[in-house]
Amino acid sequence: QGRALAAGPCTALLIAWVADLCENGTIQQSNPADTTIELYTRRALIPLHGALAPMLRDVSCLDWSPAKLAALYEGLIGSQSRGNQGTMRSALACFHDFLVRHFDIQPLHRPLRSNASEIVPHAQVVWPHEVARATEWSDLHPDRQLAGAAGLIVAIAAEAPVRSQELLRVRIRSVRLATDSQGLH
């Protein structure tokens, strides 16, 4: 009874999250095993309560910004042993998803980091000599419509290489050659 009287908004929030886990599951599974819910709650409830209780005491300076929550989550993940960090990361991702769905908290700007090395993006570069050769080859094709589509694809790839994945969806029917007062286009 003493513990129930001492419970506040932080306890209510965490109980609501656990109830949501039981009813709606996790981010990846709509019907997770009982052991998954038990593992998430055992791993995350006490550390989350310790981190959120001071924030919820003074509602006037409550900051639920994605940057502040991401820093809080990273600290909680870092406080776990290496073997428990993955479970804590998954539990906190589910907790934040719960906040987003029910309390209109903004999603995190990026997912919670794992210990794996980050993937460095590489630019997809189309060199000028490749553009020239591809244009020459496309001009040699007997089907003018297909040649025009190929030329368009090469031009887009040359001008906006970061959009080259979109070129995979370009189809011949997406391109129509026409003539107007300014000529062929």
Side-chain angles (χ1 to χ4, degrees):
Q1 185 178 11
R3 287 184 180 170
L5 291 173
C10 185
T11 305
L13 177 68
L14 294 175
I15 289 173
W17 172 54
V18 173
D20 185 69
L21 275 178
C22 293
E23 290 185 8
N24 299 317
T26 65
I27 295 172
Q28 286 95 12
Q29 297 177 322
S30 59
N31 191 14
D34 294 341
T35 54
T36 302
I37 295 171
E38 179 189 359
L39 189 61
Y40 282 13
T41 54
R42 190 167 12 102
R43 186 72 55 228
L45 276 180
I46 292 175
L48 260 175
H49 189 276
L52 292 175
M55 287 175 56
L56 291 170
R57 277 192 201 111
D58 187 10
V59 181
S60 63
C61 64
L62 197 57
D63 183 8
W64 292 94
S65 67
K68 174 117 182 194
L69 288 174
L72 181 123
Y73 298 153
E74 292 296 334
L76 291 173
I77 292 168
S79 69
Q80 298 291 310
S81 67
R82 185 174 293 268
N84 292 334
Q85 286 182 351
T87 304
M88 180 62 111
R89 186 177 295 106
S90 298
L92 293 175
C94 287
F95 175 71
H96 193 79
D97 180 63
F98 165 74
L99 293 178
V100 169
R101 286 184 290 116
H102 295 286
F103 294 99
D104 294 328
I105 302 296
Q106 293 181 3
L108 297 175
H109 295 306
R110 63 183 119 165
L112 296 172
R113 282 184 255 131
S114 66
N115 290 337
S117 61
E118 292 187 23
I119 298 171
V120 178
H122 297 283
Q124 298 174 1
V125 178
V126 181
W127 299 102
H129 71 279
E130 294 173 321
V131 173
R133 179 170 291 163
T135 304
E136 288 172 23
W137 287 346
S138 67
D139 287 341
L140 296 175
H141 197 280
D143 183 348
R144 298 309 310 155
Q145 190 172 11
L146 185 59
L152 176 66
I153 289 171
V154 170
I156 291 172
E159 294 300 318
V162 295
R163 299 183 73 185
S164 63
Q165 287 299 316
E166 295 173 17
L167 297 177
L168 298 175
R169 292 189 286 279
V170 174
R171 302 286 182 263
I172 294 173
R173 69 176 179 274
S174 304
V175 179
R176 241 185 312 198
L177 298 177
T179 308
D180 63 7
S181 61
Q182 295 182 353
L184 185 66
H185 64 280

